[in-house]
Amino acid sequence: MSENKKAQEQAITLDIHYLKLLSRLFPTVAAASTEIINLEAILNLPKGTEHFLTDIHGEYEAFQHVLKNASGSIKRKVNDIFGNTLRESEKKALCTLIYYPQEKLQIVKEQEKDMNDWYLTTLNKLVSVCQNVSSKYTRSKVRKSLPEEFSYIIQELLHETVDDQNKQGYITQIINTIISTQRADDFIIAMCNLIQRLTIDSLHIVGDIFDRGPGAHIIMDTLCNYHNVDIQWGNHDLLWMGAAAGNDSCIANVIRISMRYGTLTTLEEGYGINLLPLATFAMDTYANDPCTVFALKQKYADKTYPEKTLRLIAQMHKAIAVIQFKLEAGIIKRHPEFGMDGRLLLDKIDFKRGMLCYGGKEYKMLDSEFPTIDPNDPYRLTAEECDLVEKLHNSFTHSEKLRKHIRCFMTEGSMYLVCNNNLLFHASIPLNADGSFKEVTILGEKFAGKRLLDRVDQLVRAAFFDDNNDTTSFALDYLWYLWCGPDSPLFDKDKMATFERYFIADKELHKEEKGAYYTLRDREDICNKILQEFGIDNPHSHIINGHVPVKTIKGEQPVKANGKMLVIDGGFSRAYQPETGIAGYTLVFHSRALQLVQHEPFESRQKAIEEGLDIKSNSFLVEFNSQRMLVKDTDKGKVLRKQIDELKQLLAAYRLGVVKERN
């Protein structure tokens, strides 16, 4: 046997049956060889740009704008491409067109006298920008991103140039014909959308899409249709998932938060939740109650409400809050292992004196009108409350739009993600004070570290998909625990002081003690220990978190533990911006560097369109790569290398006759 043949035989380590299956995709030596050449070439392209966002909390206008301007990347590319050849006003107008093509075209038509000339110059500018953003991708990948109706034309414009004298007339005629056939508007919109798509190769959402802001449902629509996205669940997301699964405590919490921040649009218009039964119940039950402590936080509301509506919202707010405290008590009593007896506070109220007896002290309550609470049995729901809970339950569990979004959470989401040596999770890995992984008991078994997050991920899915009634029942209750439980990796605080914030003035009772993780994560050795727990051992690895807003205004920094820990919750939610002093972060990981982009508040979509008012953003270099990072240096590169190895074995099998070529 020749040495070459012997080497080929030794190279075949894959099962022959698998190679035969692979041969269906690559039926000849030529087909397999071509694919190897293609994959080897892709390995040497620059890595795609990853964007990381967290704690969006329903702020859909700011979120969508950040996607449209790629966290300022498109503006920087326009500056790099055109430099001093365009005035600042022209570059600003071009950027606005790329972000909002339909709306900007309408404004241009009202102002521009010679539209054909505008079309000609604008199309050439857009082609230049599109050539730049597509340059790091294969033609095949770009082609798959193209709108079908303009695919051929865009390909020709991207891969030819007017600098080539042989093609100058050809390219010019394509653009002239687009204009003369009155297809310029549609073509411009297609080009702008393509630029947006190619500028962000992959999008990572590190939790908390829901609550506080007015348009979580709009954000979810965007994400469900996004070309490449993953989601790491946050505790607010799990709350909505629990509501969709039929956990009544989660449903009550979701409605209460919506009442508190005035985001009823998400419930009623977004998901078709019928709030009329709650309104009727609240008006009857709290007709003479001013419900002062339950007044709407008007400055965060999705619109301005008249005085009468504000009073009704306050009544509904109080009604659902009281129901929530009763429902939560049921879960706490069913599961003493949750260790949450300290959250049973209704039986600690002296209703006659309006006092809370807590921790050996008495506290005067800010509101002590509770017509639905029986002091002798404070956690029992009244008949009217039971009827209301059932109606709300049916409304949530039968919302088709909500089910669609939860399916997206399941297919694109998880508790954590390891990607390109970065570990992404929303809040915490529970730790003991000495830095060891804290053991958490679930259904009688102890879990810690990575095993804990894996088990939690399984339970979340079991709440929706498991046919085992006992497991499903526990998993459904556990969804609520993940929202506010002391050992929940999505929360990790000693309590959620909802009751105290409503009813007790003493702010000492409002404090929520964070778990050991939140102080220990400042240490590089602890971060390295966590990374190793998840199989990451690389000097350029990082942990990426959200959940706890970085109070930049007080000097806090998002980069911790000598660069190992990146906390990128900068206050997308307007409710947090007074605390953070900014309006959110985007972490951008491209082939040359890891950059943190700090955003100022976004005024409005309307101003962005009419005045070209972009989000003001500042970029900070977190880590610079001395050598450009290529696809072969990424997780995708590992997958491609494996595919190349398999194809090489298929080639050897063809040449040895072990697998026959197909016609």
Side-chain angles (χ1 to χ4, degrees), residues 2 17 68 92 118 159 206 209 257 280 299 301 325 336 360 375 394 419 462 486 514:
S2 69
H17 179 66
K68 288 176 182 296
K92 186 177 177 181
W118 184 87
H159 301 299
V206 195
I209 294 162
I257 294 169
T280 304
K299 61 181 176 178
F325 299 136
N394 290 334
C419 181
K514 298 184 182 74

Side-chain angles (χ1 to χ4, degrees), residues 273-552:
I273 304 301
N274 182 11
L275 295 177
L276 183 59
L278 174 60
T280 304
F281 171 82
M283 283 191 294
D284 290 343
T285 307
Y286 300 96
N288 301 314
D289 188 338
C291 299
T292 309
V293 300
F294 293 91
L296 170 69
K297 291 179 178 288
Q298 181 70 63
K299 61 181 176 178
Y300 304 128
D302 50 16
K303 55 187 172 185
T304 303
Y305 293 97
E307 194 62 37
K308 224 173 179 181
T309 306
L310 289 174
R311 172 155 170 70
L312 175 58
I313 291 172
Q315 291 170 328
M316 295 165 71
H317 188 176
K318 183 172 183 178
I320 200 65
V322 172
I323 289 171
Q324 173 194 314
F325 299 136
K326 291 182 178 183
L327 290 169
E328 289 178 337
I331 296 178
I332 293 168
K333 290 178 179 180
R334 279 198 299 276
H335 300 284
E337 72 274 19
F338 287 175
M340 296 182 69
D341 285 356
R343 295 292 81 211
L344 299 174
L345 297 174
L346 295 185
D347 61 342
K348 311 295 188 299
I349 299 173
D350 184 328
F351 291 93
K352 289 182 180 178
R353 295 191 300 132
M355 303 293 288
L356 176 72
C357 305
Y358 184 84
K361 294 183 180 179
E362 289 191 337
Y363 299 88
K364 181 69 179 174
M365 294 188 65
L366 299 173
D367 184 337
S368 55
E369 294 294 320
F370 298 107
T372 67
I373 296 180
D374 177 359
N376 297 315
D377 191 3
Y379 299 109
R380 181 178 57 82
L381 291 167
T382 65
E384 292 82 2
E385 286 175 325
C386 287
D387 181 58
L388 173 59
V389 168
E390 184 179 355
K391 288 175 180 175
L392 292 172
H393 178 101
N394 290 334
S395 195
F396 271 86
T397 55
H398 288 88
S399 169
E400 183 55 41
K401 184 76 167 283
L402 185 55
R403 278 204 298 267
K404 176 188 173 185
H405 288 170
I406 298 308
R407 284 195 296 270
C408 179
F409 266 127
M410 290 298 174
T411 55
E412 310 297 348
S414 57
M415 280 295 295
Y416 69 91
L417 178 71
V418 175
C419 181
N420 295 330
N421 294 314
N422 293 314
L423 172 60
L424 287 60
F425 56 90
H426 177 67
S428 158
I429 305 292
L431 298 175
N432 295 310
D434 63 359
S436 59
F437 292 111
K438 187 175 185 180
E439 290 188 330
V440 177
T441 303
I442 301 175
L443 290 173
E445 188 177 352
K446 293 184 183 298
F447 297 89
K450 180 178 180 295
R451 285 189 70 241
L452 173 61
L453 266 62
D454 286 335
R455 183 66 178 116
V456 169
D457 195 295
Q458 291 167 3
L459 280 172
V460 171
R461 298 178 196 281
F464 292 90
F465 303 125
D466 202 317
D467 292 331
N468 184 319
N469 289 334
D470 290 338
T471 304
T472 305
S473 177
F474 175 83
L476 199 58
D477 284 348
Y478 202 74
L479 291 179
W480 172 81
Y481 180 85
L482 289 170
W483 153 245
C484 61
D487 286 333
S488 163
L490 296 177
F491 183 63
D492 197 7
K493 298 178 188 177
D494 67 330
K495 66 181 180 183
M496 186 175 283
T498 306
F499 182 94
E500 293 90 329
R501 286 195 294 268
Y502 280 123
F503 295 113
I504 306 299
D506 189 341
K507 292 194 181 297
E508 278 300 309
L509 288 191
H510 299 185
K511 289 182 180 178
E512 300 169 347
E513 294 296 328
K514 298 184 182 74
Y517 172 83
Y518 295 106
T519 52
L520 294 173
R521 68 181 182 178
D522 291 346
R523 286 170 42 184
E524 187 175 358
D525 63 320
I526 294 294
C527 290
N528 283 330
K529 179 180 179 178
I530 293 170
L531 287 163
Q532 287 165 10
E533 168 74 3
F534 287 81
I536 308 170
D537 188 9
N538 186 290
H540 301 290
S541 58
H542 312 85
I543 297 171
I544 300 171
N545 278 176
H547 190 58
V548 179
V550 178
K551 296 175 182 175
T552 308

